[in-house]
Amino acid sequence: CEKGLEILAITDGKKGDFVFSPNGDVIHAVTPVEKIVSSAGSGDTFMAALLFALGRCEPLEKAAGIASAAAAANLLELGCGFFKPEKAHELIAATQIERNLWS
């Protein structure tokens, strides 16, 4: 934080992602996927979707959910960073979000 870091995001495969906010909140988002086709590019897809959502001024909790769903949609496709946006939108409804699980 002293060097300017505001948000820290860590992805942990099937365990989901953890996003640490500037005020100390921890957001945990998990989007279940039954059959993984390829994990290539899912972390990059997560980060791109998180930045996209934050760029649209979405709250951090919602941005983490959008990013989780996009990464999950990427898991369903062969290739790096390819996913169907409609599948990501569908997966948002299945995304589970917890806030402050360590407080």
Side-chain angles (χ1 to χ4, degrees), residues 1 4-8 19-27 60 99:
C1 291
L5 179 69
E6 292 184 24
I7 299 170
L8 174 64
V19 180
F20 298 81
S21 75
N23 66 1
D25 287 348
V26 180
I27 300 163
L60 189 56
R99 187 177 199 102

Side-chain angles (χ1 to χ4, degrees), residues 49-98:
L50 181 67
L51 293 172
F52 177 77
L54 291 173
R56 290 182 16 175
C57 298
E58 298 289 357
L60 189 56
E61 189 169 319
K62 184 173 180 181
I66 290 168
S68 180
N74 183 80
L75 292 169
L76 302 173
E77 303 293 330
L78 185 59
C80 183
F82 297 105
F83 67 93
K84 296 179 176 111
E86 61 274 6
K87 187 62 178 177
H89 285 286
E90 179 184 315
L91 289 170
I92 287 172
T95 301
Q96 302 162 2
I97 299 174
E98 294 178 88

